[in-house]
Amino acid sequence: MGFFKQLFRFWRVTRRVGGARAIFDFARHAPRYFQLMVRLLKDPRVSPFPKAVFLGTGIFAISPLNIPEWVPVVGTLDDIGLAIFAITFFLGRIPADVMSEHRQALGLKAIEEL
């Protein structure tokens, strides 16, 4: 596949998620999102089960029990799929008031504002 065709595909995907501005905003706020995850993991009001799933998935992703990278497509996609699953599962089980409290403390927009 040619370089320009790949570049066009990347441009189309970025438009779906809010364009280049959304990607740059996320990159600029990435340290705050990392702090948010750490704060949520330390918060006793968040159930231990989602924390365990999130941390267990992260440990599995870096462990040698992983699907080898030389397996076409699946070797890379399993890590991406596990990361998406773990983050979605973890964030989906956090009470809204706890999430908004931590987001406000870090200066991140409320989910309703996005």
Side-chain angles (χ1 to χ4, degrees):
M1 185 179 318
F3 173 74
F4 290 109
K5 194 169 187 178
Q6 288 180 343
L7 188 62
F8 179 71
R9 278 186 164 181
F10 179 74
W11 177 74
R12 280 190 10 218
V13 169
T14 57
R15 282 190 39 216
R16 287 185 207 152
V17 296
R21 182 169 197 80
I23 292 172
F24 289 129
D25 284 346
F26 178 77
R28 190 177 80 227
H29 295 299
R32 288 189 197 168
Y33 285 111
F34 180 77
Q35 288 175 336
L36 175 66
M37 297 301 277
V38 171
R39 288 175 65 119
L40 291 170
L41 286 168
K42 289 181 179 181
D43 195 322
R45 296 174 290 177
V46 177
S47 172
F49 180 66
K51 291 178 186 180
V53 170
F54 180 73
L55 293 174
T57 305
I59 291 169
F60 176 77
I62 62 172
S63 76
L65 299 173
N66 211 352
I67 296 174
E69 297 296 326
W70 54 265
V71 175
V73 181
V74 178
T76 304
L77 291 181
D78 73 321
D79 292 338
I80 296 169
L82 283 174
I84 291 170
F85 164 76
I87 292 169
T88 304
F89 184 83
F90 178 64
L91 294 178
R93 278 144 185 86
I94 295 173
D97 59 329
V98 174
M99 177 66 87
S100 64
E101 175 187 324
H102 286 289
R103 289 181 71 91
Q104 239 177 11
L106 292 171
L108 295 170
K109 290 182 181 178
I111 294 173
E112 296 82 28
E113 296 175 23
L114 297 176

